Amino acid sequence: MAQSYKLLQRQLRRLPLPRGIILDGSKVLKQHYQLGKSKRFELLFHRILDQEQYKKINEILDAIYKVEKPQWYSELINIPYMKVKGHWPTIHLIDVLTENAKTKDTYYDKLAKPFSVVQSLNLKSKISQVPLPLMKKYSQQVNPVLNIIKEVQKAYTFIMSQRTFEITKHPFEVFYYPSKLGTPEHPVGIDSLLRKKVSHVKNILETFQPISKEELEKLMKSRGKINPNFFRHLQRKRTEQTTSYQVKKLIIKEKVLSEEQLQDIIRKYLRQQYYLENTNYKLNQL
């Protein structure tokens, strides 16, 4: 059963955030509640206030300042896997590992849909002269799925190029390795690799969503001291005998109690914000 609007607003006013951010959040919460879409806020309030999962502060900030998504982002999250299959950039390493034409012919003959990286790249020089990684070019033909993938790759590549995101770097393309006999993987294996890649990219972009420059500026202006209501709530909650053992263990583990520790969470979030300006992504400069 959905919580009442007044209860949700009361929980919002207890969050470990600056009051300016809480005021911005109040407007967004009202809009979501009127549309019947406040469930995400309910879950996040519970995890932060009851379970003390303070890493969820990032998700609250996303919910407040990233309401309007880029079109390509919304399409990526909702696009069926089968629509991107056949369009996602792929690299068959058989073209790098050998120059033997017969071996390559055997490899591509065994593929369900033969594909040549060399032909796709329209290379004139020998493949051995091409440095890794080989990049599959997109067709010049206008295709809405290709346009989505181009925008996705642009954002993903930017994230991978920035140390501040603190994530393991992985290429956007799917790499297919031949067997010792020079044959391609089984079609099921090929399909599985592509599914994993698409899922990985979606997860990265859901975790690190772009923000509009206007919303980022609003967020920066709303910074300030942490809401004192949170510390009163925390003190009252931690003295209650009804606090569960699981939450108490989390309290001991995280020990997030001070203004400075909470501000560090917000500062780290701000350092990882990026926005599009003049067709290029830019990282927030504190």
Side-chain angles (χ1 to χ4, degrees):
M1 183 177 178
Q3 295 181 9
S4 71
Y5 176 68
K6 287 185 178 180
L7 176 57
L8 288 173
Q9 286 286 358
R10 187 159 61 247
Q11 290 175 329
L12 174 63
R13 291 193 295 270
R14 289 175 180 167
L15 290 179
L17 295 169
R19 283 182 166 173
I21 293 177
I22 290 174
L23 287 174
D24 291 340
S26 179
K27 299 171 186 176
V28 176
L29 175 58
K30 182 178 181 179
Q31 294 170 354
H32 279 66
Y33 189 85
Q34 290 173 338
L35 295 171
K37 297 180 179 180
S38 60
K39 191 64 179 178
R40 183 184 182 190
F41 283 96
E42 289 182 33
L43 293 173
L44 290 173
F45 292 166
H46 172 67
R47 288 172 180 170
I48 294 172
L49 295 174
D50 298 330
Q51 298 182 343
E52 301 203 31
Q53 297 180 22
Y54 296 109
K55 292 179 182 178
K56 295 296 180 181
I57 288 174
N58 289 359
E59 293 186 34
I60 281 286
L61 294 173
D62 279 352
I64 295 172
Y65 294 101
K66 298 180 182 179
V67 178
E68 298 296 328
K69 315 285 187 186
Q71 184 177 349
W72 63 262
Y73 177 86
S74 300
E75 290 173 338
L76 169 70
I77 299 305
N78 297 310
I79 196 168
Y81 162 76
M82 291 305 295
K83 280 197 173 182
V84 300
K85 185 178 180 180
H87 298 294
W88 200 275
T90 57
I91 295 174
H92 291 267
L93 290 178
I94 188 72
D95 294 297
V96 179
L97 299 175
T98 182
E99 294 183 14
N100 188 295
K102 186 176 180 180
T103 301
K104 292 181 182 180
D105 288 342
T106 300
Y107 179 90
Y108 286 115
D109 285 344
K110 290 183 179 294
L111 281 175
K113 293 182 179 179
F115 163 79
S116 171
V117 173
V118 179
Q119 292 176 1
S120 176
L121 288 169
N122 195 26
L123 297 176
K124 295 181 180 179
S125 58
K126 292 183 178 180
I127 191 67
S128 60
Q129 297 174 345
V130 180
L132 282 172
L134 293 176
M135 303 295 289
K136 176 184 175 183
K137 287 187 177 180
Y138 292 101
S139 169
Q140 297 300 316
Q141 183 180 2
V142 176
N143 184 308
V145 175
L146 282 179
N147 289 337
I148 294 170
I149 293 175
K150 284 181 182 180
E151 293 298 328
V152 170
Q153 184 173 20
K154 184 176 181 178
Y156 179 85
T157 302
F158 178 81
I159 292 171
M160 290 294 122
S161 70
Q162 302 297 322
R163 291 184 178 181
T164 188
F165 293 104
E166 300 177 357
I167 52 178
T168 304
K169 313 300 182 187
H170 291 287
F172 185 78
E173 301 78 17
V174 183
F175 284 73
Y176 294 123
Y177 293 82
S179 70
K180 292 181 180 179
L181 299 176
T183 57
E185 285 197 52
H186 189 277
V188 173
I190 289 177
D191 192 66
S192 176
L193 285 173
L194 180 56
R195 284 182 182 274
K196 288 179 181 178
K197 177 62 69 175
V198 174
S199 177
H200 164 74
V201 170
K202 282 186 176 183
N203 182 59
I204 291 294
L205 290 173
E206 283 187 73
T207 303
F208 303 107
Q209 301 172 32
I211 189 171
S212 72
K213 188 176 181 181
E214 294 74 20
E215 287 298 302
L216 177 57
E217 289 173 349
K218 183 198 295 186
L219 169 55
M220 297 292 286
K221 290 177 182 178
S222 298
R223 296 171 65 190
K225 288 189 175 182
I226 298 298
N227 167 32
N229 290 335
F230 165 73
F231 294 106
R232 286 193 287 269
H233 159 78
L234 189 65
Q235 184 178 17
R236 183 170 60 251
K237 174 177 172 291
R238 291 190 173 185
T239 57
E240 291 178 356
Q241 298 298 320
T242 56
T243 302
S244 70
Y245 175 68
Q246 287 78 8
V247 172
K248 285 182 178 179
K249 283 202 305 183
L250 199 63
I251 291 170
I252 295 170
K253 181 180 178 181
E254 294 202 9
K255 297 181 181 177
V256 178
L257 295 170
S258 71
E259 170 90 18
E260 186 59 28
Q261 287 169 306
L262 292 167
Q263 291 287 2
D264 279 344
I265 293 174
I266 296 173
R267 278 193 291 268
K268 182 177 180 180
Y269 176 85
L270 288 171
R271 284 196 298 270
Q272 294 179 337
Q273 297 315 299
Y274 65 104
Y275 57 93
L276 191 65
E277 184 176 72
N278 298 326
T279 72
N280 292 314
Y281 283 108
K282 292 187 176 181
L283 198 63
N284 182 33
Q285 301 296 323
L286 291 177

